[in-house]
Amino acid sequence: MVARLAIWSATLATLASGLTVNIHPSTRYQAFDGIGVAEAFQRSLVLHELNTPSQKLALDYLFSNKTGAGFTILRNGLGSSPTDPFDHMKSIAPTAPRSNNSELNYIPLPRNDEYQVWLSHQAISRGVTYIYADAWSADGYMKTTGTDTDGGYLCGVTNTSCATGDWRQSYADKIVRYIKDYQAQGITIDYVDFLNEPDLNTTYASMQSDGQQAADFLKILYPTLKQAGLTTEIACCDGSGWEQQRERLTGIQEAGEEDTLGLVTSHGYSSPLSTPFATDKKVWQTEWSTFDPINYDWYASGSQSEGLTWANHIQQAFAVSNVTGFDNQSLLFVNNTAEVSVTKRLWAHAHFGSRFIRRGATRIGATVTGDSTNALNVTAFANTDGTTAVQVINNGNDTETVTLEGLAVPRGGAGAVRTWLTNQLHNLTQGSVVDNNGCWVAEVPAKSLLSFVV
Ligand SMILES: *[C@@H]1O[C@H](CO)[C@@H](O)[C@H](O)[C@H]1NC(C)=O
Ligand SMILES: *[C@@H]1O[C@H](CO)[C@@H](O)[C@H](O)[C@H]1NC(C)=O
Ligand SMILES: *[C@@H]1O[C@H](CO)[C@@H](O)[C@H](O)[C@H]1NC(C)=O
Ligand SMILES: *[C@@H]1O[C@H](CO)[C@@H](O)[C@H](O)[C@H]1NC(C)=O
Ligand SMILES: *[C@@H]1O[C@H](CO)[C@@H](O)[C@H](O)[C@H]1NC(C)=O
Ligand SMILES: *[C@@H]1O[C@H](CO)[C@@H](O)[C@H](O)[C@H]1NC(C)=O
Ligand SMILES: *[C@@H]1O[C@H](CO)[C@@H](O)[C@H](O)[C@H]1NC(C)=O
Ligand SMILES: *[C@@H]1O[C@H](CO)[C@@H](O)[C@H](O)[C@H]1NC(C)=O
Ligand SMILES: *[C@@H]1O[C@H](CO)[C@@H](O)[C@H](O)[C@H]1NC(C)=O
Ligand SMILES: CC(=O)N[C@H]1CO[C@H](CO)[C@@H](O)[C@@H]1O
């Protein structure tokens, strides 16, 4: 008895010096749509070529809400290339029609799409809720340059003058056809973007556009989608960085076309995510990565490609930049038809995936008290089923004893509170909390991400 008391008071002494994470359920922020992954550029084919057990493993790593990251958004590529060598994405209208007034020369869904259709079904069967189709460019014959690669502009938008005329309606018709082709395969495309990194001119498929020029096409695309009876909403513009996207969104707003958008999309390469965009539209970060060699570390030197770095990027995207979705890093590597390995980044994403946070959840207030120089960063999301997921990142060098306060005691008491830990040694390892008079206490090791699920 005496011995037990001694242990108990020692525990309390440790607790008293710890930090408190305060959850404020009535402080409600943006809705949560999910986290996502892109398998454009024939990456779906790579997954398809895996042998059966490895394929199941890879798909489960990405999409399973029981054993994987629980991604619920899939970003597919909408092809613009005339042919499909290497990773090129072939168009459904690869050869030029007689003129901009003629119907396009449609072909059945090319190879890249066949595998994207397959992957979309695999993803949906594992709980994916959003399919996002993104075009890197219009077809070459619709552009000022005559090719889908190396930048150039869509004929018909501001500051273009093409001998072949205005191709905006043709491009809009092609997008409608593409959505209907997927529909015929049982796949609803929820969002479509007609641009990718329109601030860049690259050697692969690329099409440039500023906000005014995007607005010039939105004027045509929006009514064309409506007339076709499609519920697919328009996303724009997958700017290569947050500020490049902000500039394009501002241009669209100034041109009076913001209402045509269902979603604002940005990448994180050219400039990282920062203050929110001035919009009531939902915002997704749809591509951001490093091009470093494969890095399986969670934390070694704090480099850009480590898991902990990405855990912070994801958390800050939701907490600071007001996104409702966050897509893709180099998460999973396929070496040959049998070998699949995942990086720690996958487990960083998993803390924000559908195992813990479901579509329709709302981000709620979460603050840390106890020591103003603490190294914790926290976020919290309330699910519609009454559960709450709290993500605590300890960027510091010391283990922190963290008390969670502010949430109603769930049925089952502390036993209904679970923790999940990821760091250099752990990949989402399940644990439990100590009940301290209705407050729940857990240790968060240095350089770790711990989720509480209440
Ligand atoms: C988990 O995935 C299954 C499909 O495998 C889906 O039916 C279910 O709704 C998902 N659950 C959550 C909570 O997302
Ligand atoms: C895009 O870059 C290529 C290669 O540098 C260049 O030849 C071309 O003129 C550029 N296109 C535009 C529209 O700036
Ligand atoms: C069109 O060109 C004019 C003159 O070069 C330039 O001032 C304007 O910014 C351009 N507009 C767009 C939308 O590119
Ligand atoms: C074809 O281009 C011409 C010249 O720009 C334009 O007047 C016409 O409306 C375009 N056709 C279609 C179907 O958009
Ligand atoms: C955050 O985004 C939502 C839409 O998802 C919007 O209604 C809200 O005003 C935004 N908040 C801020 C601070 O920008
Ligand atoms: C994370 O913590 C750092 C240091 O306390 C702070 O500067 C930053 O704003 C925090 N980020 C979030 C998302 O809370
Ligand atoms: C990829 O597979 C080859 C042959 O099976 C092997 O030699 C190589 O080490 C593997 N590379 C990685 C990064 O796993
Ligand atoms: C955790 O995942 C990494 C790859 O990200 C793997 O190398 C390691 O063996 C896994 N550890 C455990 C304990 O499962
Ligand atoms: C952690 O340790 C490193 C190296 O000793 C130091 O540079 C860094 O400031 C420490 N971080 C914190 C949050 O104390
Ligand atoms: C741009 C990028 O990083 N894309 C990657 C997204 O994640 C999938 C799965 O790990 C990779 O195949 C893509 O290359």
Side-chain angles (χ1 to χ4, degrees):
M1 191 64 184
V2 172
R4 279 187 63 193
L5 270 178
I7 291 164
W8 185 234
S9 57
T11 310
L12 281 181
T14 319
L15 303 185
S17 65
L19 299 168
T20 301
V21 169
N22 307 282
I23 306 301
H24 314 284
S26 58
T27 305
R28 297 174 75 80
Y29 300 107
Q30 78 270 35
F32 175 87
D33 288 326
I35 56 168
V37 69
E39 300 292 346
F41 286 92
Q42 300 196 21
R43 297 303 191 272
S44 53
L45 174 60
V46 176
L47 290 173
H48 189 265
E49 280 176 347
L50 285 168
N51 68 28
T52 308
S54 297
Q55 187 183 87
K56 182 177 184 307
L57 185 67
L59 293 169
D60 286 345
Y61 270 139
L62 295 174
F63 302 115
S64 168
N65 57 29
K66 297 193 177 58
T67 58
F71 285 106
T72 54
I73 301 171
L74 177 65
R75 178 168 173 247
N76 286 327
L78 198 169
S80 56
S81 306
T83 54
D84 60 2
F86 318 114
D87 60 358
H88 293 201
M89 297 184 283
K90 190 172 175 178
S91 169
I92 57 165
T95 55
R98 204 157 30 82
S99 80
N100 71 327
N101 291 312
S102 326
E103 214 207 327
L104 295 178
N105 295 320
Y106 293 116
I107 59 165
L109 283 176
R111 183 174 66 158
N112 178 59
D113 289 295
E114 277 178 35
Y115 293 114
Q116 286 189 163
V117 164
W118 166 78
L119 180 61
S120 300
H121 282 301
Q122 292 293 328
I124 290 165
S125 75
R126 288 170 170 80
V128 161
T129 51
Y130 286 111
I131 303 290
Y132 175 40
D134 191 7
W136 265 246
S137 176
D139 297 67
Y141 56 80
M142 300 180 184
K143 292 170 66 186
T144 52
T145 48
T147 72
D148 74 317
T149 58
D150 301 291
Y153 299 83
L154 177 63
C155 292
V157 303
T158 300
N159 281 5
T160 61
S161 148
C162 300
T164 53
D166 178 346
W167 287 83
R168 287 177 298 164
Q169 187 61 55
S170 303
Y171 188 30
D173 290 345
K174 175 192 163 186
I175 290 171
V176 163
R177 173 70 170 230
Y178 185 88
I179 294 167
K180 288 189 167 173
D181 283 352
Y182 271 63
Q183 213 170 44
Q185 300 292 324
I187 294 160
T188 302
I189 294 177
D190 300 287
Y191 295 104
V192 68
D193 187 1
F194 54 98
L195 295 170
N196 172 73
E197 303 189 345
D199 48 295
L200 299 180
N201 166 2
T202 64
T203 55
Y204 49 89
S206 49
M207 184 164 78
Q208 294 156 272
S209 176
D210 66 7
Q212 172 63 53
Q213 291 166 325
D216 294 338
F217 182 60
L218 288 167
K219 281 189 187 77
I220 308 278
L221 179 60
Y222 182 80
T224 304
L225 285 169
K226 290 283 164 245
Q227 276 154 28
L230 296 173
T231 55
T232 304
E233 294 192 85
I234 305 173
C236 200
C237 314
D238 281 83
S240 73
W242 196 250
E243 299 313 321
Q244 288 73 13
Q245 178 57 31
R246 194 195 302 276
E247 194 183 317
R248 276 154 189 79
L249 175 60
T250 303
I252 291 169
Q253 289 167 334
E254 284 169 2
E257 293 297 326
E258 187 186 19
D259 284 349
T260 62
L261 299 180
L263 178 68
V264 175
T265 50
S266 179
H267 300 178
Y269 298 104
S270 304
S271 51
L273 279 60
S274 68
T275 54
F277 295 146
T279 182
D280 283 336
K281 301 290 177 185
K282 302 197 300 182
V283 177
W284 290 358
Q285 187 293 113
T286 45
E287 193 190 312
W288 190 9
S289 194
T290 59
F291 297 99
D292 300 348
I294 307 177
N295 188 341
Y296 292 102
D297 278 323
W298 172 260
Y299 179 82
S301 62
S303 88
Q304 282 308 305
S305 49
E306 292 173 7
L308 180 60
T309 303
W310 286 92
N312 280 287
H313 283 327
I314 301 164
Q315 185 176 59
Q316 298 205 12
F318 286 105
V320 179
S321 307
N322 197 32
V323 305
T324 61
F326 190 101
D327 265 33
N328 200 56
Q329 308 320 319
S330 306
L331 307 162
L332 179 141
F333 289 93
V334 172
N335 186 15
N336 51 43
T337 58
E339 238 184 280
V340 173
S341 50
V342 299
T343 63
K344 286 283 190 175
R345 295 191 208 178
L346 180 96
W347 302 116
H349 281 78
H351 283 260
F352 297 86
S354 63
R355 283 198 196 192
F356 311 125
I357 318 174
R358 319 269 155 73
R359 174 178 176 171
T362 303
R363 189 169 72 84
I364 57 175
T367 53
V368 184
T369 52
D371 175 357
S372 58
T373 62
N374 76 77
L376 298 191
N377 286 75
V378 296
T379 35
F381 295 84
N383 286 310
T384 52
D385 67 0
T387 59
T388 301
V390 179
Q391 302 78 31
V392 181
I393 297 180
N394 181 359
N395 283 304
N397 300 325
D398 305 311
T399 296
E400 299 290 350
T401 300
V402 171
T403 302
L404 185 64
E405 280 186 12
L407 289 169
V409 180
R411 206 175 301 152
V417 183
R418 291 263 161 268
T419 62
W420 303 82
L421 176 68
T422 297
N423 56 26
Q424 189 71 8
L425 297 175
H426 294 274
N427 305 329
L428 225 55
T429 301
Q430 193 175 340
S432 55
V433 295
V434 173
D435 187 348
N436 178 28
N437 292 327
C439 293
W440 306 306
V441 183
E443 303 229 306
V444 186
K447 312 292 183 200
S448 296
L449 166 52
L450 182 102
S451 285
F452 288 91
V453 180
V454 182

